[in-house]
Amino acid sequence: MPEKACKLCRRIVKGNICPACKTTELSKNWKGILVVVDPESEIAKVAGIAAPGRYAVKVK
Ligand SMILES: [Zn+2]
């Protein structure tokens, strides 16, 4: 199954539900992977990401 990205938080999700948002609003149409190890880092702050994980750069 191809990985999908959550339309709300952009987290890359395996399966049909986002573990963070508990939403099924997932998109197969996403681009780029942003890996956040430290949510306190500048890149995570700029991207608006508050939890470690893998995120899509763009979700349509
Ligand atoms: Zn989400």
Side-chain angles (χ1 to χ4, degrees), residues 6-11 13 18-23 26:
C6 174
K7 288 182 183 175
L8 302 182
C9 69
R10 311 206 307 276
R11 183 182 287 266
V13 176
C18 174
C21 308
K22 313 293 184 201
T23 179
L26 308 178

Side-chain angles (χ1 to χ4, degrees), residues 15-57:
N16 291 313
I17 186 160
C18 174
C21 308
K22 313 293 184 201
T23 179
T24 55
E25 288 288 310
L26 308 178
S27 174
K28 279 185 272 185
N29 196 357
W30 57 271
K31 273 188 182 171
I33 291 179
L34 178 64
V35 178
V36 173
V37 177
D38 176 9
E40 296 297 314
S41 65
E42 285 303 312
I43 192 161
K45 285 179 183 171
V46 168
I49 290 167
R54 292 163 71 234
Y55 295 83
V57 176

